[in-house]
Amino acid sequence: MNDCVILKGKKDRLVVQLDSNVDFSSLKDKFSEKIKQAEAFIGDTKIAIEFTNRKLTELEENILIDVLNKETKIKVAFVFSEKSIFSQLPVPEFQLPFNNIKDLTDEGVTKFHKGTLRSGHNLEFDGNVVVLGDVNPGAVIKSKGNVVVLGYLNGTVYAGENDGSDAFVGAFSLNPIQIKIGQIIAKNPSTNVLDVNKVKKTLDFEIAYLKDGNIFIEKFNKSTLEHMVQI
C-alpha cells in the first residue's frame, strides 16, 4: 500500500504515479500523506503536476488537486492529465500582445484537456482551461479563469465564473452557442457580441473579453501568432 502513490521530481514537473488497482479513497489518503512529506523540499514555488499510471475522472483529478491546495502550500501552475505535446516542453513565459485584456486572471492552476469535447460533455474546473481540440455544439466548459481552445469553439463556454470579469476566451474560431464572461452573457456572437474587426480571416486567433459591460471579439492574424510563439 505504501507504493500506491509515488512522487518523482522532474526538471519541469512533479510526476505522481498512481496505482490503478487501489480504491480511490485509499489512494487519496496516501496522496495526502505523500504530498505533505514532499512539501518540505518543494516549498511554495509554482510547479506543474502530472498524474500517470492511472486514468482519473475529472472529479477524481479535482479532488487530488483540492487536497494539495488545502493541505499544503505548494502552488500548482499546470496539470497534465495525460501525455501531450506540452508534456515534452517547458512552458514558455511571454507577454500576450492583446492590449485590451487585463492580466489579473492568469494566476492559478491550468487544466489541459486533450481531444475534442463532444455534445453532452461538460468540463468544469476551478482555474484556467486549455482544450487541445475542438468544442462541438452541445459541449459546455465552465472555468473560474480563462478558457483557450486550440481549435474551433462551437459549444457553450463560461469563463471567469464567480464574477471574474477580467477573464478571456480564446480560440481559432469563435462561434459559440452561448458565451459568458463574468456576469455578462451573450447567446450569439453575431448579434450580441461586438466584433472589433469586421473582416473574418481563416487563420485568425480570436479573443473574447469584457469591456464597458459588453463582450468584444478581437482577431489576430497569422503573423501576430508567429511572433508570439517566437518570443
Side-chain angles (χ1 to χ4, degrees):
M1 180 65 74
N2 191 50
D3 292 333
C4 67
V5 177
I6 299 176
L7 305 184
K8 291 186 176 181
K10 287 188 176 181
K11 183 178 180 180
D12 62 341
R13 80 199 71 178
L14 175 68
V15 177
V16 182
Q17 295 183 357
L18 304 172
D19 194 317
S20 58
N21 298 315
V22 177
D23 66 276
F24 182 75
S25 178
S26 301
L27 202 69
K28 185 191 76 168
D29 293 340
K30 181 56 67 173
F31 174 75
S32 174
E33 176 187 325
K34 288 289 185 77
I35 204 66
K36 287 177 183 176
Q37 295 171 359
E39 183 182 14
F41 60 86
I42 294 178
D44 60 356
T45 56
K46 289 185 179 180
I47 63 168
I49 189 168
E50 179 182 1
F51 296 107
T52 64
N53 290 6
R54 178 182 179 126
K55 188 170 179 60
L56 298 173
T57 65
E58 299 282 345
L59 177 60
E60 289 172 341
E61 188 176 282
N62 288 342
I63 288 174
L64 294 182
I65 293 298
D66 193 51
V67 167
L68 188 149
N69 288 334
K70 288 183 177 179
E71 299 186 11
T72 74
K73 294 181 180 179
I74 297 172
K75 298 175 182 177
V76 178
F78 299 94
V79 179
F80 297 100
S81 300
E82 52 185 302
K83 286 289 182 182
S84 68
I85 56 172
F86 290 96
S87 66
Q88 305 300 324
L89 300 170
V91 179
E93 293 185 3
F94 52 80
Q95 181 64 43
L96 293 176
F98 309 142
N99 296 328
N100 292 305
I101 298 172
K102 298 179 182 179
D103 58 359
L104 299 182
T105 54
D106 62 355
E107 296 293 334
V109 180
T110 298
K111 177 177 180 60
F112 289 90
H113 177 89
K114 183 180 180 182
T116 295
L117 290 176
R118 306 189 185 281
S119 179
H121 194 148
N122 293 333
L123 175 59
E124 298 187 30
F125 193 63
D126 290 343
N128 306 307
V129 170
V130 176
V131 177
L132 308 175
D134 297 331
V135 180
N136 290 349
V140 179
I141 297 176
K142 292 184 179 181
S143 166
K144 288 188 178 178
N146 310 306
V147 175
V148 175
V149 178
L150 300 181
Y152 297 99
L153 201 172
N154 299 313
T156 299
V157 58
Y158 301 98
E161 291 280 85
N162 298 343
D163 200 24
S165 56
D166 294 318
F168 67 86
V169 177
F172 278 102
S173 175
L174 268 174
N175 186 34
I177 292 176
Q178 189 177 86
I179 185 171
K180 180 181 178 185
I181 301 178
Q183 298 301 312
I184 306 300
I185 190 168
K187 290 186 178 180
N188 192 315
S190 62
T191 56
N192 295 331
V193 179
L194 301 181
D195 192 347
V196 176
N197 302 65
K198 298 299 180 183
V199 182
K200 184 172 179 62
K201 302 170 186 174
T202 12
L203 292 177
D204 285 353
F205 190 79
E206 302 176 323
I207 296 287
Y209 61 92
L210 281 184
K211 182 181 179 182
D212 300 327
N214 293 302
I215 298 179
F216 286 80
I217 291 180
E218 284 196 40
K219 301 180 179 71
F220 299 88
N221 60 35
K222 187 172 180 290
S223 61
T224 303
L225 286 176
E226 286 176 344
H227 176 65
M228 186 176 72
V229 172
Q230 290 167 2
I231 291 175

